[in-house]
Coordinates of all heavy atoms in Angstrom, one line a residue:
P1 N 92.5 28.0 -72.7 CA 92.5 28.2 -71.2 C 92.3 26.8 -70.5 O 91.6 26.0 -71.0 CB 91.4 29.1 -71.0 CG 91.2 29.8 -72.3 CD 91.6 28.8 -73.4
H2 N 92.9 26.7 -69.3 CA 92.6 25.6 -68.5 C 91.2 25.6 -68.0 O 90.7 26.6 -67.5 CB 93.6 25.5 -67.3 CG 93.7 24.2 -66.6 ND1 92.7 23.7 -65.8 CD2 94.7 23.3 -66.7 CE1 93.1 22.6 -65.4 NE2 94.3 22.3 -65.9
P3 N 90.5 24.5 -68.1 CA 89.1 24.5 -67.7 C 88.8 24.7 -66.2 O 87.7 25.1 -65.8 CB 88.5 23.2 -68.2 CG 89.8 22.3 -68.3 CD 90.9 23.2 -68.6
D4 N 89.8 24.4 -65.4 CA 89.7 24.5 -63.9 C 90.2 25.8 -63.3 O 90.4 25.9 -62.1 CB 90.4 23.3 -63.3 CG 89.7 22.0 -63.6 OD1 88.5 22.0 -64.0 OD2 90.4 21.0 -63.6
N5 N 90.5 26.8 -64.2 CA 91.1 28.1 -63.6 C 90.0 28.8 -62.8 O 89.0 29.2 -63.3 CB 91.6 29.0 -64.8 CG 92.1 30.3 -64.2 OD1 92.8 30.3 -63.2 ND2 91.9 31.3 -65.0
P6 N 90.3 29.0 -61.5 CA 89.2 29.6 -60.7 C 89.3 31.1 -60.6 O 88.4 31.8 -60.1 CB 89.6 29.0 -59.3 CG 91.0 28.9 -59.3 CD 91.4 28.5 -60.7
N7 N 90.4 31.7 -61.2 CA 90.6 33.1 -61.0 C 89.7 33.9 -61.9 O 89.4 33.6 -63.1 CB 92.1 33.4 -61.4 CG 92.5 34.8 -60.8 OD1 91.8 35.4 -60.0 ND2 93.6 35.3 -61.4
R8 N 89.2 35.0 -61.4 CA 88.4 36.0 -62.2 C 89.1 37.3 -62.2 O 89.7 37.7 -61.2 CB 87.0 36.1 -61.6 CG 86.2 34.8 -61.7 CD 84.9 34.9 -61.0 NE 85.2 35.0 -59.5 CZ 84.3 35.3 -58.6 NH1 83.1 35.6 -58.9 NH2 84.6 35.3 -57.3
C9 N 89.1 38.0 -63.3 CA 89.9 39.2 -63.4 C 89.2 40.1 -64.4 O 88.3 39.7 -65.1 CB 91.3 38.8 -63.9 SG 92.5 40.1 -63.8
S10 N 89.6 41.4 -64.4 CA 89.1 42.4 -65.3 C 89.8 42.3 -66.6 O 90.9 42.9 -66.7 CB 89.1 43.8 -64.7 OG 88.7 44.7 -65.7
V11 N 89.3 41.6 -67.6 CA 89.9 41.5 -68.9 C 90.0 42.9 -69.5 O 91.0 43.2 -70.2 CB 89.2 40.5 -69.8 CG1 89.7 40.5 -71.2 CG2 89.2 39.1 -69.2
K12 N 89.0 43.8 -69.3 CA 89.0 45.1 -69.8 C 90.3 45.9 -69.3 O 90.9 46.6 -70.1 CB 87.7 45.9 -69.4 CG 87.7 47.3 -69.9 CD 86.4 48.0 -69.4 CE 86.4 49.4 -69.7 NZ 85.6 50.2 -68.9
D13 N 90.6 45.8 -68.0 CA 91.7 46.5 -67.5 C 93.0 46.0 -68.0 O 94.0 46.7 -68.3 CB 91.7 46.5 -65.9 CG 90.6 47.3 -65.3 OD1 90.1 48.3 -66.0 OD2 90.2 46.9 -64.2
I14 N 93.1 44.7 -68.2 CA 94.3 44.1 -68.8 C 94.5 44.5 -70.2 O 95.6 44.8 -70.7 CB 94.3 42.5 -68.6 CG1 94.3 42.1 -67.2 CG2 95.4 41.9 -69.4 CD1 94.1 40.7 -66.9
A15 N 93.4 44.6 -71.0 CA 93.4 45.0 -72.4 C 93.9 46.5 -72.4 O 94.8 46.8 -73.3 CB 92.1 44.9 -73.0
T16 N 93.5 47.3 -71.5 CA 94.0 48.7 -71.4 C 95.5 48.7 -71.2 O 96.2 49.4 -71.8 CB 93.2 49.5 -70.3 OG1 91.8 49.5 -70.7 CG2 93.8 50.9 -70.2
S17 N 95.9 47.8 -70.2 CA 97.4 47.8 -69.9 C 98.2 47.3 -71.2 O 99.2 47.8 -71.5 CB 97.6 46.8 -68.8 OG 99.0 46.6 -68.5
L18 N 97.6 46.3 -71.9 CA 98.3 45.8 -73.1 C 98.4 46.9 -74.1 O 99.5 47.0 -74.8 CB 97.6 44.6 -73.7 CG 97.7 43.3 -73.0 CD1 96.8 42.3 -73.6 CD2 99.1 42.8 -73.0
E19 N 97.4 47.7 -74.3 CA 97.4 48.8 -75.2 C 98.5 49.9 -74.8 O 99.2 50.4 -75.6 CB 96.1 49.4 -75.4 CG 95.1 48.5 -76.1 CD 93.6 49.0 -76.0 OE1 93.4 50.2 -75.6 OE2 92.7 48.3 -76.3
Q20 N 98.5 50.2 -73.5 CA 99.4 51.2 -73.0 C 100.9 50.8 -73.0 O 101.8 51.5 -73.3 CB 99.0 51.7 -71.7 CG 97.7 52.5 -71.7 CD 97.3 53.0 -70.3 OE1 97.8 52.5 -69.3 NE2 96.4 53.9 -70.2
F21 N 101.1 49.5 -72.5 CA 102.5 49.1 -72.2 C 103.0 47.9 -73.0 O 104.1 47.6 -72.9 CB 102.6 48.7 -70.7 CG 102.1 49.8 -69.7 CD1 101.0 49.6 -69.0 CD2 102.7 51.0 -69.7 CE1 100.5 50.6 -68.1 CE2 102.3 52.0 -68.8 CZ 101.2 51.8 -68.0
G22 N 102.1 47.3 -73.7 CA 102.4 46.1 -74.4 C 102.5 44.9 -73.5 O 102.2 45.0 -72.3
Q23 N 102.8 43.7 -74.0 CA 103.0 42.5 -73.2 C 104.4 42.5 -72.6 O 105.3 42.3 -73.3 CB 102.7 41.3 -74.0 CG 102.7 40.0 -73.2 CD 102.6 38.8 -74.0 OE1 102.6 38.8 -75.2 NE2 102.6 37.6 -73.4
Y24 N 104.5 42.6 -71.3 CA 105.8 42.7 -70.6 C 106.1 41.4 -69.9 O 107.2 41.3 -69.3 CB 105.9 43.9 -69.7 CG 104.8 44.1 -68.8 CD1 104.7 43.4 -67.5 CD2 103.8 44.9 -69.1 CE1 103.7 43.6 -66.7 CE2 102.7 45.1 -68.2 CZ 102.7 44.5 -67.0 OH 101.6 44.7 -66.1
R25 N 105.3 40.4 -69.9 CA 105.7 39.0 -69.4 C 104.9 38.0 -70.2 O 103.8 38.2 -70.7 CB 105.4 38.9 -67.9 CG 104.0 39.0 -67.5 CD 103.9 38.8 -66.0 NE 102.5 38.9 -65.6 CZ 102.1 38.8 -64.4 NH1 103.0 38.6 -63.4 NH2 100.8 38.8 -64.1
S26 N 105.5 36.8 -70.3 CA 104.9 35.7 -71.1 C 103.8 35.1 -70.3 O 103.8 35.1 -69.1 CB 105.9 34.7 -71.4 OG 107.0 35.2 -72.2
I27 N 102.8 34.5 -71.1 CA 101.9 33.6 -70.4 C 102.6 32.2 -70.4 O 103.6 32.0 -71.1 CB 100.5 33.6 -71.1 CG1 100.6 33.0 -72.5 CG2 99.9 35.0 -71.2 CD1 99.3 32.7 -73.1
V28 N 102.1 31.3 -69.6 CA 102.6 30.0 -69.4 C 101.6 29.0 -69.9 O 100.4 29.1 -69.5 CB 103.0 29.7 -68.0 CG1 103.6 28.3 -67.8 CG2 104.0 30.8 -67.5
A29 N 102.0 28.1 -70.7 CA 101.1 27.1 -71.3 C 101.9 25.7 -71.3 O 103.1 25.6 -71.3 CB 100.7 27.4 -72.7
L30 N 101.0 24.7 -71.2 CA 101.6 23.3 -71.4 C 101.9 23.2 -72.9 O 101.5 23.9 -73.8 CB 100.5 22.3 -71.0 CG 100.1 22.3 -69.6 CD1 98.9 21.4 -69.3 CD2 101.3 22.0 -68.6
E31 N 102.7 22.1 -73.2 CA 103.1 21.9 -74.5 C 102.0 21.7 -75.5 O 102.1 22.0 -76.7 CB 104.1 20.7 -74.6 CG 105.4 21.0 -73.9 CD 106.3 19.8 -73.8 OE1 105.9 18.7 -73.9 OE2 107.5 20.1 -73.7
D32 N 100.8 21.3 -75.0 CA 99.6 21.1 -75.9 C 98.9 22.5 -76.1 O 97.9 22.5 -76.8 CB 98.7 20.1 -75.4 CG 98.0 20.4 -74.1 OD1 98.2 21.6 -73.6 OD2 97.2 19.6 -73.6
G33 N 99.4 23.5 -75.5 CA 98.8 24.8 -75.7 C 97.8 25.2 -74.6 O 97.3 26.4 -74.6
T34 N 97.5 24.4 -73.6 CA 96.7 24.7 -72.5 C 97.3 25.7 -71.6 O 98.4 25.5 -71.1 CB 96.3 23.5 -71.6 OG1 95.7 22.5 -72.5 CG2 95.4 23.8 -70.5
I35 N 96.6 26.9 -71.4 CA 97.2 28.0 -70.6 C 97.0 27.6 -69.1 O 96.0 27.2 -68.7 CB 96.4 29.3 -70.9 CG1 96.6 29.7 -72.3 CG2 96.9 30.4 -69.9 CD1 95.7 30.8 -72.8
I36 N 98.1 27.8 -68.3 CA 98.0 27.6 -66.9 C 98.4 28.8 -66.1 O 98.1 28.9 -64.9 CB 98.9 26.4 -66.4 CG1 100.4 26.5 -66.7 CG2 98.4 25.1 -67.0 CD1 101.2 25.5 -66.1
A37 N 98.9 29.9 -66.8 CA 99.1 31.2 -66.1 C 99.0 32.2 -67.2 O 99.7 32.1 -68.2 CB 100.5 31.2 -65.5
G38 N 98.2 33.2 -67.0 CA 98.0 34.3 -68.0 C 96.7 34.1 -68.8 O 96.6 34.7 -69.9
H39 N 95.7 33.4 -68.2 CA 94.5 33.3 -68.9 C 93.9 34.6 -69.4 O 93.4 34.7 -70.5 CB 93.4 32.6 -68.0 CG 93.8 31.2 -67.7 ND1 94.7 30.9 -66.7 CD2 93.3 30.0 -68.2 CE1 94.8 29.5 -66.6 NE2 94.0 29.0 -67.5
H40 N 93.9 35.6 -68.5 CA 93.2 36.8 -68.8 C 94.0 37.7 -69.7 O 93.5 38.5 -70.4 CB 92.9 37.5 -67.5 CG 91.9 36.7 -66.7 ND1 92.4 35.9 -65.6 CD2 90.6 36.5 -66.8 CE1 91.3 35.2 -65.1 NE2 90.2 35.6 -65.8
V41 N 95.3 37.6 -69.7 CA 96.2 38.3 -70.6 C 95.9 37.7 -72.0 O 95.7 38.5 -73.0 CB 97.7 38.1 -70.3 CG1 98.5 38.7 -71.4 CG2 98.0 38.8 -69.0
W42 N 95.7 36.4 -72.2 CA 95.4 35.8 -73.4 C 94.0 36.3 -73.9 O 93.9 36.7 -75.1 CB 95.4 34.3 -73.3 CG 94.8 33.6 -74.5 CD1 95.5 33.3 -75.7 CD2 93.5 33.0 -74.7 NE1 94.7 32.7 -76.5 CE2 93.5 32.5 -75.9 CE3 92.4 32.9 -73.9 CZ2 92.3 31.8 -76.4 CZ3 91.3 32.3 -74.3 CH2 91.3 31.8 -75.6
E43 N 93.0 36.4 -73.0 CA 91.7 36.8 -73.4 C 91.7 38.3 -73.8 O 91.1 38.7 -74.8 CB 90.7 36.6 -72.2 CG 89.3 37.0 -72.6 CD 88.6 36.2 -73.6 OE1 88.9 35.0 -73.7 OE2 87.8 36.7 -74.4
A44 N 92.4 39.1 -73.1 CA 92.5 40.5 -73.4 C 93.2 40.8 -74.7 O 92.8 41.6 -75.5 CB 93.3 41.3 -72.3
A45 N 94.3 40.0 -75.0 CA 95.0 40.1 -76.2 C 94.1 39.7 -77.4 O 94.1 40.4 -78.5 CB 96.3 39.2 -76.2
K46 N 93.3 38.7 -77.2 CA 92.4 38.3 -78.2 C 91.4 39.4 -78.5 O 91.1 39.7 -79.7 CB 91.7 37.0 -77.8 CG 91.2 36.1 -78.8 CD 90.8 34.8 -78.3 CE 89.5 34.9 -77.4 NZ 88.8 33.6 -77.2
R47 N 90.8 39.9 -77.5 CA 89.8 41.0 -77.6 C 90.4 42.2 -78.2 O 89.7 43.0 -79.0 CB 89.2 41.4 -76.3 CG 88.3 40.3 -75.7 CD 87.6 40.8 -74.5 NE 86.8 39.7 -73.9 CZ 86.1 39.9 -72.8 NH1 86.0 41.1 -72.2 NH2 85.5 38.9 -72.2
A48 N 91.7 42.5 -78.0 CA 92.3 43.7 -78.5 C 92.8 43.5 -80.0 O 93.3 44.4 -80.6 CB 93.5 44.1 -77.6
G49 N 92.6 42.3 -80.5 CA 93.0 42.0 -81.8 C 94.4 41.7 -82.1 O 94.9 41.7 -83.2
L50 N 95.2 41.4 -81.0 CA 96.6 41.1 -81.2 C 96.7 39.7 -81.8 O 96.0 38.8 -81.5 CB 97.3 41.1 -79.8 CG 97.3 42.4 -79.0 CD1 98.1 42.2 -77.7 CD2 98.0 43.5 -79.8
E51 N 97.6 39.6 -82.8 CA 97.8 38.4 -83.5 C 98.9 37.5 -82.9 O 98.9 36.3 -83.1 CB 98.2 38.7 -85.0 CG 97.0 39.4 -85.7 CD 97.4 39.6 -87.2 OE1 98.3 39.0 -87.7 OE2 96.6 40.4 -87.8
K52 N 99.7 38.1 -82.1 CA 100.8 37.3 -81.4 C 101.0 37.8 -80.0 O 100.9 38.9 -79.7 CB 102.1 37.5 -82.2 CG 102.2 36.9 -83.5 CD 103.5 37.1 -84.1 CE 103.6 36.6 -85.6 NZ 104.9 36.7 -86.1
I53 N 101.2 36.8 -79.1 CA 101.7 37.1 -77.7 C 102.8 36.1 -77.4 O 102.9 35.0 -78.0 CB 100.5 37.0 -76.7 CG1 99.8 35.6 -76.7 CG2 99.5 38.1 -77.0 CD1 98.8 35.5 -75.6
R54 N 103.6 36.5 -76.4 CA 104.6 35.6 -75.9 C 104.1 34.5 -75.0 O 103.3 34.8 -74.1 CB 105.7 36.4 -75.2 CG 106.6 37.2 -76.1 CD 107.8 37.8 -75.4 NE 107.4 38.6 -74.2 CZ 106.9 39.8 -74.3 NH1 106.7 40.4 -75.5 NH2 106.6 40.5 -73.2
V55 N 104.6 33.3 -75.3 CA 104.1 32.1 -74.5 C 105.4 31.4 -74.1 O 106.3 31.1 -74.9 CB 103.2 31.2 -75.3 CG1 102.8 30.0 -74.4 CG2 102.0 32.0 -75.8
Y56 N 105.5 31.0 -72.8 CA 106.5 30.1 -72.3 C 105.9 28.7 -72.1 O 104.9 28.6 -71.4 CB 107.1 30.7 -71.0 CG 108.2 29.8 -70.4 CD1 109.4 29.8 -70.9 CD2 107.9 29.0 -69.3 CE1 110.4 29.1 -70.4 CE2 108.9 28.2 -68.7 CZ 110.2 28.3 -69.3 OH 111.2 27.5 -68.8
F57 N 106.3 27.8 -72.9 CA 105.8 26.4 -72.8 C 106.5 25.6 -71.8 O 107.8 25.6 -71.8 CB 105.8 25.7 -74.2 CG 104.9 26.4 -75.2 CD1 105.3 27.3 -76.1 CD2 103.5 26.0 -75.2 CE1 104.4 27.9 -77.0 CE2 102.6 26.6 -76.1 CZ 103.1 27.5 -77.0
I58 N 105.8 24.8 -71.0 CA 106.4 23.9 -70.1 C 105.8 22.5 -70.2 O 104.8 22.3 -70.8 CB 106.2 24.3 -68.6 CG1 104.7 24.3 -68.2 CG2 106.8 25.7 -68.4 CD1 104.5 24.4 -66.7
N59 N 106.6 21.5 -69.7 CA 106.1 20.1 -69.7 C 105.7 19.8 -68.3 O 106.6 19.8 -67.4 CB 107.3 19.2 -70.2 CG 106.9 17.8 -70.2 OD1 105.7 17.4 -70.0 ND2 107.9 16.9 -70.5
A60 N 104.5 19.5 -68.0 CA 104.0 19.2 -66.7 C 102.8 18.2 -66.8 O 102.0 18.3 -67.8 CB 103.6 20.4 -65.9
D61 N 102.6 17.3 -65.8 CA 101.5 16.5 -65.9 C 100.3 17.3 -65.3 O 100.4 18.4 -64.9 CB 101.7 15.2 -65.1 CG 102.0 15.4 -63.6 OD1 101.5 16.4 -63.0 OD2 102.7 14.6 -63.0
D62 N 99.1 16.7 -65.4 CA 97.8 17.4 -65.0 C 97.9 17.9 -63.6 O 97.5 19.1 -63.3 CB 96.6 16.5 -65.2 CG 96.3 16.2 -66.7 OD1 96.8 17.0 -67.5 OD2 95.6 15.2 -66.9
Q63 N 98.4 17.1 -62.7 CA 98.4 17.5 -61.3 C 99.4 18.7 -61.0 O 99.0 19.6 -60.3 CB 98.7 16.3 -60.4 CG 98.4 16.4 -59.0 CD 98.5 15.1 -58.2 OE1 99.5 14.4 -58.4 NE2 97.5 14.8 -57.4
E64 N 100.5 18.6 -61.6 CA 101.5 19.6 -61.5 C 101.0 20.9 -62.1 O 101.2 22.0 -61.6 CB 102.9 19.2 -62.1 CG 103.9 20.3 -61.9 CD 105.3 19.9 -62.4 OE1 105.4 18.9 -63.2 OE2 106.3 20.5 -62.0
A65 N 100.4 20.8 -63.3 CA 99.9 22.0 -64.0 C 98.8 22.7 -63.1 O 98.8 23.9 -63.0 CB 99.3 21.6 -65.3
R66 N 98.0 21.9 -62.5 CA 96.9 22.5 -61.6 C 97.5 23.2 -60.5 O 97.1 24.3 -60.1 CB 96.0 21.4 -61.2 CG 94.8 21.9 -60.4 CD 93.8 20.8 -60.1 NE 92.9 20.7 -61.3 CZ 92.6 19.7 -62.0 NH1 93.3 18.5 -61.8 NH2 91.8 19.7 -63.0
R67 N 98.6 22.6 -59.9 CA 99.2 23.2 -58.7 C 99.9 24.5 -59.1 O 99.8 25.5 -58.4 CB 100.3 22.3 -58.1 CG 99.7 21.2 -57.3 CD 100.7 20.4 -56.4 NE 101.9 20.0 -57.1 CZ 102.1 18.8 -57.6 NH1 101.2 17.9 -57.5 NH2 103.2 18.6 -58.2
I68 N 100.6 24.5 -60.3 CA 101.2 25.8 -60.8 C 100.1 26.8 -61.0 O 100.3 28.0 -60.6 CB 102.0 25.5 -62.1 CG1 103.2 24.6 -61.8 CG2 102.4 26.8 -62.8 CD1 103.9 24.1 -63.1
M69 N 99.0 26.5 -61.6 CA 97.9 27.4 -61.9 C 97.4 28.0 -60.6 O 97.2 29.2 -60.5 CB 96.8 26.7 -62.7 CG 95.6 27.6 -63.0 SD 94.3 26.7 -63.9 CE 93.9 25.4 -62.8
L70 N 97.1 27.2 -59.7 CA 96.6 27.6 -58.4 C 97.6 28.5 -57.6 O 97.2 29.5 -57.0 CB 96.1 26.5 -57.5 CG 94.9 25.7 -58.1 CD1 94.6 24.5 -57.3 CD2 93.7 26.6 -58.3
A71 N 98.8 28.1 -57.6 CA 99.9 28.9 -57.0 C 100.0 30.3 -57.7 O 100.1 31.3 -57.0 CB 101.2 28.2 -57.0
D72 N 100.0 30.3 -59.0 CA 100.0 31.6 -59.7 C 98.9 32.5 -59.4 O 99.1 33.7 -59.2 CB 100.1 31.3 -61.2 CG 100.2 32.6 -62.0 OD1 101.3 33.2 -62.0 OD2 99.2 33.0 -62.7
N73 N 97.7 31.9 -59.2 CA 96.5 32.7 -58.8 C 96.6 33.3 -57.4 O 96.1 34.3 -57.1 CB 95.3 31.9 -59.0 CG 94.9 31.7 -60.5 OD1 95.2 32.5 -61.3 ND2 94.2 30.7 -60.7
R74 N 97.2 32.5 -56.5 CA 97.1 32.8 -55.1 C 98.3 33.6 -54.5 O 98.2 34.3 -53.6 CB 96.9 31.5 -54.3 CG 96.7 31.7 -52.9 CD 95.4 32.3 -52.5 NE 95.2 32.3 -51.1 CZ 95.1 33.4 -50.3 NH1 95.0 34.6 -50.9 NH2 95.0 33.3 -49.0
L75 N 99.5 33.4 -55.0 CA 100.7 33.9 -54.4 C 100.8 35.4 -54.2 O 101.2 35.9 -53.2 CB 102.0 33.4 -55.2 CG 102.3 31.9 -55.0 CD1 103.5 31.5 -55.8 CD2 102.6 31.6 -53.5
A76 N 100.3 36.1 -55.2 CA 100.3 37.6 -55.1 C 99.4 38.0 -54.0 O 99.6 39.0 -53.3 CB 99.8 38.2 -56.4
D77 N 98.3 37.3 -53.7 CA 97.4 37.6 -52.6 C 98.0 37.4 -51.2 O 97.5 38.0 -50.3 CB 96.1 36.8 -52.7 CG 95.3 37.1 -54.0 OD1 95.4 38.2 -54.5 OD2 94.5 36.2 -54.4
L78 N 99.0 36.6 -51.1 CA 99.6 36.3 -49.8 C 100.6 37.3 -49.4 O 101.0 37.2 -48.2 CB 100.2 34.9 -49.9 CG 99.3 33.7 -50.2 CD1 100.1 32.4 -50.3 CD2 98.2 33.6 -49.1
G79 N 101.0 38.2 -50.2 CA 102.0 39.2 -49.8 C 101.4 40.2 -48.8 O 100.2 40.2 -48.4
L80 N 102.2 41.1 -48.4 CA 101.8 42.1 -47.4 C 101.1 43.3 -48.0 O 100.7 44.2 -47.3 CB 103.0 42.6 -46.6 CG 103.8 41.6 -45.9 CD1 105.1 42.2 -45.3 CD2 103.0 40.9 -44.8
G81 N 100.9 43.3 -49.3 CA 100.3 44.4 -50.0 C 101.3 45.5 -50.3 O 102.5 45.3 -50.0
P82 N 100.9 46.5 -51.0 CA 101.9 47.5 -51.4 C 102.4 48.4 -50.3 O 101.8 48.6 -49.3 CB 101.1 48.4 -52.4 CG 99.7 48.2 -52.0 CD 99.6 46.8 -51.4
D83 N 103.7 48.9 -50.5 CA 104.2 49.8 -49.6 C 103.6 51.2 -50.0 O 103.9 51.7 -51.0 CB 105.8 49.9 -49.8 CG 106.5 50.9 -48.9 OD1 105.9 52.0 -48.7 OD2 107.6 50.7 -48.5
L84 N 102.7 51.7 -49.2 CA 101.9 52.8 -49.6 C 102.8 54.1 -49.8 O 102.5 54.9 -50.6 CB 100.8 53.1 -48.6 CG 99.7 52.0 -48.5 CD1 98.7 52.3 -47.5 CD2 99.1 51.8 -49.9
D85 N 103.8 54.3 -48.9 CA 104.7 55.4 -49.1 C 105.4 55.4 -50.4 O 105.5 56.4 -51.1 CB 105.7 55.5 -47.9 CG 105.1 55.8 -46.6 OD1 104.0 56.5 -46.6 OD2 105.6 55.3 -45.5
L86 N 105.9 54.2 -50.7 CA 106.6 54.1 -52.0 C 105.7 54.2 -53.2 O 106.0 54.9 -54.2 CB 107.3 52.7 -52.1 CG 108.2 52.4 -53.3 CD1 109.3 53.4 -53.3 CD2 108.8 51.0 -53.2
L87 N 104.5 53.7 -53.0 CA 103.5 53.8 -54.1 C 103.1 55.3 -54.3 O 102.9 55.7 -55.5 CB 102.2 53.0 -53.7 CG 101.1 52.9 -54.7 CD1 101.7 52.2 -56.0 CD2 100.0 52.1 -54.2
L88 N 103.0 56.1 -53.2 CA 102.6 57.5 -53.4 C 103.7 58.3 -54.0 O 103.4 59.3 -54.6 CB 102.2 58.0 -52.0 CG 100.9 57.5 -51.4 CD1 100.7 58.0 -50.0 CD2 99.7 58.0 -52.3
E89 N 105.0 57.9 -53.8 CA 106.1 58.6 -54.5 C 105.9 58.5 -56.0 O 106.3 59.3 -56.7 CB 107.4 58.0 -54.0 CG 107.8 58.4 -52.6 CD 109.1 57.9 -52.2 OE1 110.0 57.6 -53.1 OE2 109.3 57.6 -51.0

């Protein structure tokens, strides 16, 4: 995991999702294995005893990796939220 990841998440809920649905998107890591997106998926998979998860490796310097990590953590929060009518359907 990247030591500067500020995001906190419910690893327990992610582990439940992994058990129910499997891993449906890759985590993102630098070529040296440092995770920059998907920290909590990795932690949940580890706790669930999974031996393999999908990882998409990228080449980025420290500054770019930090920007990607922060954007990944923040972009979902910037949306308008769910369409409640569609969600209720």
Side-chain angles (χ1 to χ4, degrees):
H2 196 287
D4 296 333
N5 180 35
N7 198 17
R8 294 175 288 168
C9 194
S10 173
V11 173
K12 179 184 172 204
D13 291 334
I14 294 172
T16 299
S17 176
L18 284 173
E19 290 170 10
Q20 290 179 345
F21 307 115
Q23 182 187 3
Y24 48 84
R25 65 178 179 181
S26 299
I27 66 170
V28 179
L30 299 174
E31 292 175 336
D32 68 1
T34 302
I35 299 168
I36 59 172
H39 294 82
H40 299 98
V41 172
W42 172 78
E43 182 65 34
K46 204 169 70 163
R47 288 187 189 181
L50 298 179
E51 294 183 17
K52 293 182 181 182
I53 60 172
R54 282 188 309 282
V55 180
Y56 180 75
F57 290 97
I58 65 167
N59 181 7
D61 62 30
D62 290 340
Q63 200 170 45
E64 183 179 17
R66 185 172 274 122
R67 285 194 311 265
I68 292 168
M69 179 180 60
L70 294 174
D72 182 69
N73 285 335
R74 183 70 174 121
L75 287 174
D77 296 336
L78 297 176
L80 300 175
D83 177 328
L84 295 180
D85 293 330
L86 187 59
L87 188 60
L88 289 172
E89 285 180 30

